[in-house]
Each structure stands twice: as C-alpha cells, then as structure tokens.
C-alpha cells in the first residue's frame, strides 16, 4: 500500500503538470525486499543459528523515482522569446540559491522574457546562457531572430549564440523543481545535436489518458491491499475474543 501510494502521488504530480511547458513526466520502479530480511534469527529449531526461511514472496518496496526525458510536442506561440529544442539537448540557465551560490542548471522549458536591461531570463528570473555569458539583447532592438543553430540576431546584427548542452547518460541528472535539472558526479557532457525553433515551446510529455488509466489501476490495487488488512484484522479480532472461552 505504501508503494501504491507513492506511485499515486507521482501520477498526480504528472497530471498537475500536464500543461507545464518543458515538464518531463516521472515514474516509479518497484523492487523486492532484501533477502536478509527473511531469515530465522536465534531460532532454537536450528540450534540458534541464522538461517534463510526459504522460498518466500517478500513483497515489494519503492525502487526509485525516475524521469522520462522523451521529447514533448512543439506548440507554436508566435512569441519572440519562446524557444523549443527540436532534438537532444538542454538550455543552460544561471541559478542563484538563497545563500548567493550560483550554479548552472539545465532545462527544456523555453518560455523566456527580456528584462529592462535586455537580459533574457526564464519564468523564475534565471539568466539564459550563451557562448559569451548571459544572453543580452539591445534594449532598442526592433527585431530579434534566432536561427536553428541558436545564433541570435538583433536587427540583422549578430549578438551571440545560445548555449545548448547534452549529456551521455540522463541517469546522472537530478531534477530540481518541475522543469530544471543539474548534473551529479559521473555526468559527462556531449555535443547537443538539437535545433532551436523560435516562436515555439515544447509541451509536457505527459499522456493524460494513460496516466488516468494508471491511476485507476493503482487505486484498485491500493483498495485490494486495504481489504487484505481488514480481513486479517477481523481474523485476529475473532481469535482474541475466542481465547479462553469455554463452551458449556
């Protein structure tokens, strides 16, 4: 039941973010309990030695929560600073925590805006990174164009190139918030082959219909677990009430 509750929580979060730009759905794996939990401990029947009980279904526990990085669909918005990555790769943004420590995080959420100083930032105010540092657009620019390679032009003049980063193994990425992630020890960068499409955003890769079907399945499994516990409780209650009863 604990396992099914965790799966249900993850699915509920996926459904809540089904319309979040750049969101990648999560899933939960299950694994059996470790074998060393199913042994006899100080049992007189085996001369007080530890011994495995034998073949036994040990049940399951939560394995891990993973992220599915499959591409979402692209939606045309017409907004100048909406970018979508068609293919592999991530946008790099500069994130500063509450202690003032700055680090680079990665995202597929391409909804950006421009500050009064011309800096391109995401919805949380994190600066979009380019080859030359923070991407900054002249405040008096009339037209801003970004080609498929990420080259940025303002009124026809080259400004900078948006940085795209990719990794050899996404298992070495740790999720932060709903749409960002950062690499952990063992992560290895590689060339990003994706193309940047201006005026588009990448939608969530959550399939609402399949998530709803999974939610129904998990709910039924949870209810089945409840019935098992209720049955056992009823059996124990009956046994307790019958102890010491003498029939005349």
């Amino acid at each position: 039941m604990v396992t099914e509750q965790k799966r249900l929580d993850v699915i509920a979060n996926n459904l809540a973010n089904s319309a979040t730009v750049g969101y990648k759905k999560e899933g939960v794996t299950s694994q059996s309990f470790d074998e060393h939990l199913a042994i006899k401990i100080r049992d007189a029947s085996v001369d007080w030695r530890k011994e495995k009980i034998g073949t036994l279904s040990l049940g399951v526990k939560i394995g891990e929560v993973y992220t599915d990085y499959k591409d979402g669909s692209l939606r045309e918005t017409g907004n100048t600073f909406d970018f979508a990555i068609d293919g592999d790769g991530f946008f790099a943004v500069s994130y500063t925590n509450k202690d003032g420590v700055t680090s680079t995080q990665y995202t597929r959420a391409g909804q950006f805006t421009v500050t009064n100083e011309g800096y391109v930032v995401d919805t949380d105010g994190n600066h979009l990174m380019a080859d030359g540092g923070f991407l900054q657009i002249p405040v008096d620019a009339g037209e801003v164009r970004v080609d498929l390679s990420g080259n940025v032009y303002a009124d026809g003049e080259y400004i900078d190139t948006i940085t795209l980063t990719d990794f050899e193994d996404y298992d070495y990425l740790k999720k932060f918030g709903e749409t960002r992630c950062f690499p952990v020890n063992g992560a290895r960068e590689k060339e990003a082959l994706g193309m940047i499409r201006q005026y588009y955003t990448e939608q969530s890769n959550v399939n609402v219909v399949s998530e709803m079907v999974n939610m129904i399945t998990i709910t039924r499994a949870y209810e089945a677990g409840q019935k098992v516990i209720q049955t056992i409780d009823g059996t124990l209650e009956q046994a307790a009430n019958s102890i010491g009863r003498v029939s005349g």
Side-chain angles (χ1 to χ4, degrees), residues 21-36:
V21 171
Y23 177 81
K24 300 301 179 185
K25 70 176 182 179
E26 296 180 329
V28 178
T29 62
S30 300
Q31 66 184 58
S32 62
F33 282 105
D34 298 331
E35 287 188 3
H36 70 267

Side-chain angles (χ1 to χ4, degrees), residues 27-217:
V28 178
T29 62
S30 300
Q31 66 184 58
S32 62
F33 282 105
D34 298 331
E35 287 188 3
H36 70 267
L37 295 180
I39 59 176
K40 295 180 180 180
I41 299 177
R42 296 182 61 80
D43 191 334
S45 66
V46 288
D47 298 328
W48 307 100
R49 297 193 308 271
K50 291 183 179 181
E51 184 179 83
K52 291 184 179 180
I53 293 175
T55 303
L56 178 67
S57 176
L58 302 178
V60 297
K61 62 180 179 179
I62 296 297
E64 64 174 348
V65 178
Y66 65 90
T67 302
D68 183 353
Y69 285 98
K70 290 181 180 178
D71 293 354
S73 60
L74 303 187
R75 181 172 70 90
E76 186 173 6
T77 65
N79 297 326
T80 301
F81 294 99
D82 279 350
F83 308 131
I85 301 176
D86 188 357
D88 297 331
F90 297 86
F91 295 111
V93 295
S94 179
Y95 168 75
T96 303
N97 64 19
K98 61 182 180 180
D99 296 324
V101 179
T102 299
S103 61
T104 300
Q105 295 188 348
Y106 301 92
T107 183
R108 298 275 296 194
Q111 280 185 316
F112 297 98
T113 56
V114 178
T115 65
N116 294 333
E117 295 80 20
Y119 289 106
V120 179
V121 297
D122 65 10
T123 54
D124 294 320
N126 302 307
H127 290 271
L128 176 63
M129 302 297 294
D131 290 352
F134 297 160
L135 179 59
Q136 186 176 22
I137 305 297
V139 294
D140 59 347
E143 180 187 31
V144 176
R145 183 174 60 86
V146 179
D147 63 19
L148 296 178
S149 298
N151 299 313
V152 182
Y153 300 88
D155 294 330
E157 181 179 352
Y158 172 76
I159 301 297
D160 210 335
T161 300
I162 296 175
T163 300
L164 286 187
T165 306
D166 199 10
F167 298 89
E168 292 183 358
D169 190 343
Y170 292 168
D171 288 340
Y172 291 95
L173 297 180
K174 185 175 182 179
K175 201 167 183 180
F176 184 90
E178 300 298 351
T179 59
R180 299 199 303 274
C181 61
F182 60 91
V184 297
N185 291 338
R188 308 182 75 170
E189 294 185 8
K190 69 174 184 178
E191 181 183 1
L193 302 179
M195 299 178 293
I196 296 179
R197 297 193 180 277
Q198 189 180 16
Y199 309 115
Y200 287 84
T201 56
E202 180 183 359
Q203 303 306 293
S204 164
N205 65 352
V206 175
N207 185 319
V208 176
V209 175
S210 63
E211 293 296 299
M212 290 296 295
V213 172
N214 290 336
M215 177 176 286
I216 294 172
T217 303

